[in-house]
Amino acid sequence: MSHGQTPAEQAAQDKRIKLQLSAIKYPVLVMSGKGGVGKSTVAVNLAWSLSQRGFKVGIMDIDIHGPNVPKMLGIDKLSFGGDESRIEPVRVNDNLVAASLGLIGYHPDQAIVWRGPIKIGLIRQFLADVAWGELDYLIIDTPPGTGDESLTIAQTVHNLAGAVVVTTPQEVSVLDSRKSLDFAKKLNVHVLGLVENMSGFVCPCCNTVTHIFSQGGGKKAAEELAVPFAGVIPLEAGVVGAGDSGKAFLSQYQDGPVADAMNRIVDNVLAQIANNEKNGLYQKTTVNPDFRPER
Ligand SMILES: Nc1ncnc2c1ncn2[C@@H]1O[C@H](COP(=O)(O)OP(=O)(O)OP(=O)(O)O)[C@@H](O)[C@H]1O
Ligand SMILES: [Mg+2]
Ligand SMILES: [Zn+2]
């Protein structure tokens, strides 16, 4: 597809994308079968946690229809810097930068219908023209389902380390998440871990986790589908509060059931990446010696 570009323009963009990705060690996709299961929450806290562990991290939000990341990181009032050829990502902390399709001309009260080719073009432009620089991890938050956005990433990001698939106990019971897992399999995207979010409820007075729905569905589904299980996150009011206040949950709470769960999930995802790498399942691209990060 040309996305209105001449073949020469597209070739030049392909080259820029390759060059940029060669400086990003582990791009990671966060996806789900259904909406509202906690993808953006997981993506934001994964990115935050990695940044606190000393890694250089980027978070890229490619949800054009309902971008959550800018709001969750408190950068929704900002716009990008840069010039015609480069887009500066927004700096969240010393180790974390963010860029969101939500920061370019999205109005929450305006339902925009973007056609597939336009979305694909915008995502490619974000990979080509956002000045990501050298990163250890690029966390990519997607809209629900297996649409153009996830497909574009799977087809364009040649060094994708894999996908974290988020689900809920309800979803897992009807296996809606199977669609995302099938998608990953078809496109040769490694599943780094299935996350069961909103599993159990943290009591606000004593921090005890109560399981209202049956427990262990996510783990069982992961076993059945032969994908790694990354862990469960219980429901807690603080998660909503953090998201609404524009702060990553993990920047506000370092311990407690939800923080512990999130940190364990990050450990498991990192272990899975390391394991894939050890087993030759990850084709690491060598950093192009000609690459000069522009910031
Ligand atoms: N463990 C949790 N406990 C309490 N609330 C949660 C939890 N996880 C997510 N939420 C809340 O649920 C809502 C949906 O979460 P989030 O926006 O992360 O989902 P999403 O999958 O990214 O949604 P969308 O499909 O719209 O992009 C948010 O208000 C969020 O704060
Ligand atoms: Mg989201
Ligand atoms: Zn209690």
Side-chain angles (χ1 to χ4, degrees):
M1 238 181 289
S2 70
H3 320 302
Q5 295 170 312
T6 65
E9 282 166 351
Q10 199 182 356
Q13 190 181 47
D14 277 339
K15 210 173 151 195
R16 283 204 307 282
I17 291 174
K18 278 230 167 68
L19 194 65
Q20 292 243 96
L21 289 173
S22 72
I24 301 175
K25 278 193 203 140
Y26 306 107
V28 173
L29 189 59
V30 179
M31 58 189 298
S32 73
K34 267 193 3 181
V37 298
K39 274 179 307 301
S40 299
T41 302
V42 168
V44 160
N45 285 287
L46 175 60
W48 182 271
S49 172
L50 291 168
S51 77
Q52 296 306 293
R53 294 174 190 217
F55 295 111
K56 294 286 177 208
V57 187
I59 183 165
M60 172 166 138
D61 171 22
I62 57 169
D63 188 345
I64 298 166
H65 299 289
N68 313 127
V69 169
K71 184 160 189 276
M72 284 184 181
L73 287 173
I75 56 173
D76 51 330
K77 303 284 186 294
L78 300 177
S79 57
F80 292 117
D83 53 38
E84 284 108 79
S85 62
R86 305 293 289 174
I87 305 167
E88 279 301 323
V90 174
R91 181 156 292 284
V92 180
N93 68 34
D94 280 352
N95 287 338
L96 178 60
V97 291
S100 167
L101 286 177
L103 295 179
I104 48 169
Y106 170 81
H107 298 285
D109 44 283
Q110 192 180 320
I112 304 172
V113 182
W114 299 91
R115 287 181 301 115
I118 296 179
K119 287 195 280 195
I120 295 167
L122 282 172
I123 293 166
R124 285 174 51 87
Q125 197 186 350
F126 258 43
L127 291 169
D129 297 336
V130 172
W132 295 109
E134 277 186 61
L135 295 179
D136 295 302
Y137 294 91
L138 177 66
I139 309 302
I140 305 167
D141 187 24
T142 62
T146 49
D148 287 328
E149 294 88 345
S150 305
L151 189 63
T152 303
I153 294 298
Q155 290 175 335
T156 314
V157 181
H158 59 277
N159 58 339
L160 195 64
V164 172
V165 178
V166 184
T167 184
T168 61
Q170 290 89 330
E171 199 199 7
V172 113
S173 64
V174 292
L175 278 182
D176 262 355
S177 46
R178 188 189 283 270
K179 277 183 248 155
S180 328
L181 299 172
D182 282 345
F183 168 91
K185 211 166 259 167
K186 277 204 200 96
L187 289 159
N188 278 330
V189 173
H190 297 299
V191 175
L192 299 173
L194 182 68
V195 172
E196 185 180 348
N197 187 27
M198 308 188 184
S199 176
F201 168 75
V202 184
C203 174
C205 38
C206 65
N207 258 6
T208 308
V209 180
T210 309
H211 287 273
I212 305 154
F213 298 103
S214 66
Q215 226 182 313
K219 192 159 196 284
K220 198 160 149 261
E223 275 161 17
E224 278 168 19
L225 299 165
V227 295
F229 185 64
V232 297
I233 306 174
L235 270 166
E236 196 194 285
V239 176
V240 183
D244 288 347
S245 72
K247 300 242 163 66
F249 180 86
L250 286 179
S251 73
Q252 297 189 301
Y253 304 90
Q254 274 79 48
D255 44 37
V258 169
D260 291 349
M262 285 177 172
N263 283 317
R264 254 196 314 273
I265 286 165
V266 180
D267 292 342
N268 287 335
V269 169
L270 290 183
Q272 190 59 42
I273 292 176
N275 200 46
N276 286 351
E277 206 163 9
K278 200 181 79 196
N279 294 321
L281 292 174
Y282 173 63
Q283 299 275 310
K284 193 159 153 196
T285 54
T286 46
V287 173
N288 186 324
D290 297 332
F291 183 79
R292 295 279 173 277
E294 295 189 21
R295 70 184 156 77

